[in-house]
Every structure is written in C-alpha cells, then in structure tokens.
Amino acid sequence: MASLLRDRLFLVWALLVAVTLLSSQIGGTSGVAWIGSPAAVTVAVLSIAFAKVWMVMFTYMDVRGAPLVLRVLVTAWIALVLCGLLAVYFGALG
Amino acid sequence: MDKSFHASTRSQRFLVWLTIVLAVVFAISYVGLMRFFPPPPASLSAEEVAPLYSEHNIRFRIGVIFGLISGGFLVPITIVISLQMARLEKGVPIWAILQALTGVVGTVFVWLPVLVWGVASFTAERAPELTLLIHEFGWLLFITPLSLFPMQLLGIIVVAFTKDEPDGHSAFPRWMGYLTAWQLVQSFGGPIAVLFKTGIFSWAGLLPFWAPFALFSAWLAAICYTVLRALRHQQQLAATGG
Amino acid sequence: MEPATLSPDNTGSLRPEPPGGHIPGEAGVWILLFGEMTFFALLFGSFLLYRTSDIAGFTASQAHLSKAVGLTNTLLLLTSSLFVAKAVGAASRGDTGSAPRLFRFGLACAIGFIALKGFEYYELLERGIVVNSHVFFSFYFGLTVLHLGHVVIGSVLLGAMSVATGKLLTKPSHIALIESGGCFWHMVDLLWIIIFALLYLVE
C-alpha cells in the first residue's frame, strides 16, 4: 500500500512534468503558429495550468482522501477561477 | 491556576471593549471626517493633492483630532493578548513579551500618519509641492512599515499551536493560529507599495490596501471574540473554583 | 492520552483515518489556503483585465521574458513538491530517517528557484527593464515578488519541518501541523503554475 502510494506520487510528478513541457511548447508567440489563434493558445495553456493545479491538490495535498465537501469545494474553486479568468480574457468585463 | 489572573479578568474585558470603542471612533474619523476611504491614488500630482487638505479643511482637522485620540486603539487588546499568551506559556513568557512590545511600538504607525496628515492640513495654503511631500510621507508611513507586525503575529501563531488548553476555552484556538498565519503571509504586500504609483500594487490598490484592510478587520474582530470567550470561561472558573 | 495513535494503523499512518475521509492538515489550514488562493485569483483577474486594454504592449513585453527560465523554475517547484509530499508521507509513518532528508531535498529545489529568480531579475534590470517600464512588468514584478515572499516563508517552513521530523512525532496535532506545512508548500507550487501560464505563456 505504502509503496503504491509512493509510486502514485512519482507517476503524477512525471505526468506534471510532461504536461508542463507540452504547455510551454504550446504557449508564447511560437505556439500561435502551431496551434492557430492566440485565443486557442490561451484556452489551452490556462486549461492545462488548472488541470495541473487540480492534480497537485488531489495527489500532493491529498485532497483525494478528504471528505466529499472538500473535494467538491476544491474542484468548484478551480473550475470557477478558470472560467472567471477566461471570461476576463475574452473581454466579458470590458 | 495562578490567582492573579483571576483577579484581572474584569480589567481585561474592559480593555478589550476599550479597543473596540476606540477602533470605531478611529474608523469614523478616518472614513467620515478625513475621507481617506478609499485612499487617494498614489499617482496624484501636487495640484491634485493640495485640495484634499484645503477643501473642507476644518472637517479634516477635526478628523485628525479624533484620529489622534483614538489612534492607540490596538494597545489595550495587545496587552490582553499578551496576558492570555503568558497564561499558556511555560517559564518566561517570551512570546507574550515579544507580542506586547512589537504591538505597542507598532501602533505608532496607526496614529503617527494621522499627525502627519494633520501637518499637511495645518497650513493647507502653502506651496502644493510641500503638501505633496508630507502627504506622501503620511501615506507611506501608514501602509508600508512591516518589520514589527510579523514578529507580533509570530508569537500568537506559536502559542496557538503549542498550547495545552482545549480550543473551546483558549483565546487562541488552532483556527486562530491559521488565520493569524494567513495575516502574516498577507502582510508582506505592504512594502511593495514603495515601488508603485498606479495599479493594484500601489498604496490605494488591492494588494497593499484592500486585502490587508479586509483581513486585518476580520482578524481583529475574530481575536476580540476569542479573547472575550476565553475571559468568560476564566471568570466562570474563578467563580466555581473560588 | 491517545494510545491508538502511537502505533501505525493498517495503512502505515500514525494518524487514525476517520470513516468520512481525512482532511489534509486540519480544517483550520484551509482558511489560509482558500483565502490566499482566492486573493491571488483576484490578482490574476486584474492582470488579464489590464491586458485587454493593451494586448500589443503586453505581448511585446512578454517577449522580453525567457520562457526557459520560467520553465526551469516550474520544474524545480514541481520536483520540490514531490519531495515534500513524500516527506509528509514519511513523517506520518514515523520514518524519522527519510522525512528530514526529503524535506531538505525539497528545500534545495526551493533555493534553486530563489537563485534563478534572482538571476532573472538581475538580467531584466541589466537591460533597463524595471517596474514602470510597462504595466506588464508592474504585474510581472508585483506578482513574482509577492510569490517569492511565499517561497521564502515556505523555505523557512521546510527547514523547520526537516528539524521537527527528525524525532518521532506521536501527537496527532503535530502530524497535522506537518501536513498543513506541506499543503502550504504545494499551494506555493500551484500558484506558480498559474503565474507561469499567465506571464510566460498566455497569448
């Protein structure tokens, strides 16, 4: 059990690193040519970032084993902030 | 338990209420009379700053008078917090001493800016550049000094996490330790205002003003509540045990 | 007082597992975590809001940042988070040998982050880029200095935890504190993940 848990943390780390490398390829001016539009880059980059945040909170912080209230709260917070930031990016407040 | 602490619970409750009353007076003079809420932008020119003090000059100066009377509102609660900390510490109450001394010296940064703004309003018809200088001095004095505040909070955090009293009876339940830790982490935004004249990092912005203002108000209300709750319990103990 | 917690249970943890699930750290630390994360979310929102009014200026300013430096710092914090997660696990199993060592590995990554950030600041200042060069750099310096302050506080915590876990922690409240400290460090990591995306990658 304990060694499985240790493996899980390491696997999540490897996944986080891979996703970070991917998003750093997508992001920036170089990524626009590859992906298409700046807006697509931003949506991709921010979605990946908040997916990473979810992984960090659920595995490293161990929210995975927390009561349902906290799991829902964490996931809702992440979804809310991501949607809020994208709304601001697309000029919902301007 | 030491009998001398029982004898002083009534005085301690009086001091907490003194803090609450003085804080209300300070808030009224700051918001209502000096009208510095929200703060004037840090980017104002001399010509824009001068009218802040020359228009409604007498109202502003009355605000200064009440600000100077009530500006020490943190001293009574600081002393009570330290008495409550000393109860829970073993041996020489070093964290209580640190909390009391840094808290008492730190209160200077509440009433001294009021006096500096008072100087700005005292001869409001002077050259605008001079008023700008003293205005900026007052604001940076109010928002940016940090050195003492984290030390004061550190003592409270240590006691909250090391005490041997159940949370329900202590002035420092564990959640208060975390709330105070948040306050400590957050307080580092203040000095950043030295770098910025506009935007959310300037002295009128989210980081140095609004966030610390909101959190500090909540923290002060919370610690007044937990201290009063703890004092009530100690009074009951004294009544039944004595 | 609580003899059940003195010996590891069947999951190898010194803390009893409540049936409904176990709150990481303890309930109180989530005041700090959600509070601080929401505060940063407001800062992130302000950044994107200011950005909408001068997209060309923000894009041109972003080109002055080195994506490689930001990427390296992200990897450093991700790695330190892995060490800290493992260290907290070791501490709660009562492994007084590896917990302090893992905390020190995490601290080493944190110091690497601070050094690289210092180098990045030095490089920008050398090229004459300061806080008021452009609103983008106001946010860049404001956000990263604030975050760096969190990294420094977190590093002090990691050092303290590496000392504290050197001896066996038997009180559940002490293990809760270690878990809370670990959660604070993971929060520092995840805030940087978002800052990296916003400052270096958003187009």
Side-chain angles (χ1 to χ4, degrees):
Chain A
M1 179 65 202
S3 69
L4 193 78
L5 189 74
R6 219 175 286 179
D7 279 351
R8 193 206 311 276
L9 291 178
F10 178 76
L11 289 176
V12 166
W13 174 82
L15 185 60
L16 283 168
V17 167
V19 166
T20 302
L21 292 171
L22 174 72
S23 73
S24 133
Q25 277 305 304
I26 295 173
T29 30
S30 57
V32 177
W34 185 37
I35 292 283
S37 71
V41 166
T42 300
V43 172
V45 159
L46 283 183
S47 303
I48 290 175
F50 279 86
K52 283 159 69 183
V53 168
W54 190 87
M55 282 197 276
V56 167
M57 292 189 83
F58 267 68
T59 58
Y60 287 173
M61 285 192 185
D62 210 16
V63 172
R64 202 167 48 87
L68 184 67
V69 190
L70 190 60
R71 278 177 288 160
V72 169
L73 218 61
V74 164
T75 309
W77 185 91
I78 290 171
L80 209 70
V81 174
L82 174 62
C83 293
L85 290 182
L86 286 176
V88 174
Y89 173 82
F90 284 110
L93 292 180
Chain B
M1 207 173 287
D2 194 333
K3 209 172 170 66
S4 60
F5 283 113
H6 295 166
S8 68
T9 47
R10 188 187 297 236
S11 309
Q12 290 182 63
R13 291 178 72 141
F14 170 76
L15 288 179
V16 175
W17 282 106
L18 183 61
T19 285
I20 294 170
V21 170
L22 288 179
V24 169
V25 173
F26 187 84
I28 290 171
S29 71
Y30 177 82
V31 176
L33 297 170
M34 293 194 279
R35 304 272 168 100
F36 271 166
F37 190 88
S43 55
L44 293 185
S45 68
E47 281 67 29
E48 291 166 316
V49 161
L52 293 178
Y53 298 95
S54 56
E55 287 172 14
H56 310 292
N57 179 268
I58 295 300
R59 187 193 69 205
F60 190 93
R61 282 153 80 172
I62 290 171
V64 168
I65 291 173
F66 281 104
L68 290 174
I69 291 170
S70 58
F73 66 87
L74 284 174
V75 173
I77 187 76
T78 300
I79 300 305
V80 176
I81 290 171
S82 273
L83 282 177
Q84 291 296 317
M85 289 166 74
R87 265 184 82 245
L88 299 168
E89 285 187 66
K90 298 175 185 77
V92 178
I94 181 165
W95 295 111
I97 295 170
L98 180 74
Q99 200 281 140
L101 293 182
T102 50
V104 167
V105 178
T107 193
V108 168
F109 300 108
V110 177
W111 58 260
L112 190 56
V114 175
L115 181 57
V116 171
W117 295 324
V119 174
S121 65
F122 191 64
T123 312
E125 64 277 14
R126 69 169 84 75
E129 283 76 13
L130 296 176
T131 299
L132 177 69
L133 174 68
I134 202 78
H135 164 82
E136 289 183 342
F137 177 52
W139 272 99
L140 292 175
L141 196 62
F142 189 52
I143 298 289
T144 61
L146 181 67
S147 185
L148 301 172
F149 194 47
M151 295 183 211
Q152 183 186 356
L153 298 178
L154 187 62
I156 298 176
I157 296 167
V158 169
V159 170
F161 289 133
T162 55
K163 64 171 177 12
D164 285 326
E165 197 172 39
D167 273 2
H169 297 155
S170 163
F172 313 103
R174 290 176 75 87
W175 63 264
M176 179 53 83
Y178 287 112
L179 185 65
T180 309
W182 181 21
Q183 170 89 69
L184 187 151
V185 170
Q186 181 90 111
S187 67
F188 285 87
I192 292 182
V194 173
L195 285 174
F196 296 91
K197 287 214 163 185
T198 56
I200 57 170
F201 301 105
S202 73
W203 80 45
L206 174 67
L207 179 73
F209 184 81
W210 292 105
F213 164 78
L215 186 53
F216 181 74
S217 308
W219 179 83
L220 188 61
I223 199 134
C224 284
Y225 165 74
T226 55
V227 165
L228 285 174
R229 190 184 63 178
L231 285 170
R232 203 159 44 236
H233 175 70
Q234 287 157 35
Q235 220 157 18
Q236 278 165 4
L237 272 187
T240 54
Chain C
M1 279 169 91
E2 289 165 88
T5 61
L6 293 176
S7 59
D9 59 18
N10 54 1
T11 61
S13 169
L14 291 169
R15 274 186 93 183
E17 285 294 324
H22 152 82
I23 294 177
E26 55 191 305
V29 76
W30 288 89
I31 302 176
L32 189 158
L33 296 177
F34 271 121
E36 209 47 15
M37 280 159 43
T38 304
F39 165 63
F40 266 91
L42 290 175
L43 298 179
F44 300 152
S46 315
F47 170 76
L48 287 176
L49 187 63
Y50 276 75
R51 190 181 180 282
T52 51
S53 61
D54 182 15
I55 292 170
F58 271 69
T59 310
S61 302
Q62 187 190 45
H64 289 284
L65 295 184
S66 160
K67 208 157 80 174
V69 172
L71 177 64
T72 312
N73 263 343
T74 311
L75 297 179
L76 276 171
L77 280 193
L78 283 177
T79 310
S80 81
S81 250
L82 173 66
F83 284 131
V84 169
K86 282 178 171 258
V88 170
S92 70
R93 285 192 308 276
D95 185 346
T96 54
S98 52
R101 193 172 59 243
L102 288 163
F103 274 123
R104 281 198 296 274
F105 288 158
L107 180 59
C109 294
I111 291 169
F113 179 95
I114 295 170
L116 198 54
K117 205 91 214 105
F119 165 76
E120 195 182 26
Y121 288 152
Y122 172 79
E123 253 249 316
L124 288 171
L125 295 177
E126 276 288 281
R127 283 187 280 151
I129 295 171
V130 289
V131 283
N132 52 6
S133 296
H134 187 271
V135 195
F136 175 85
F137 285 107
S138 294
F139 274 100
Y140 166 82
F141 282 106
L143 282 173
T144 57
V145 166
L146 191 65
H147 179 263
L148 195 61
H150 286 66
V151 175
V152 171
I153 294 172
S155 301
V156 173
L157 277 180
L158 293 186
M161 290 194 290
S162 86
V163 174
T165 54
K167 41 186 207 299
L168 186 65
L169 302 171
T170 50
K171 272 188 164 176
S173 69
H174 289 168
I175 295 168
L177 264 188
I178 296 291
E179 281 185 15
S180 299
C183 284
F184 180 83
W185 186 252
H186 299 314
M187 183 194 72
V188 171
D189 178 21
L190 71 84
L191 289 175
W192 177 258
I193 289 175
I194 307 173
I195 292 174
F196 175 60
L198 282 177
L199 291 178
Y200 295 77
L201 302 178
V202 158
E203 267 311 299

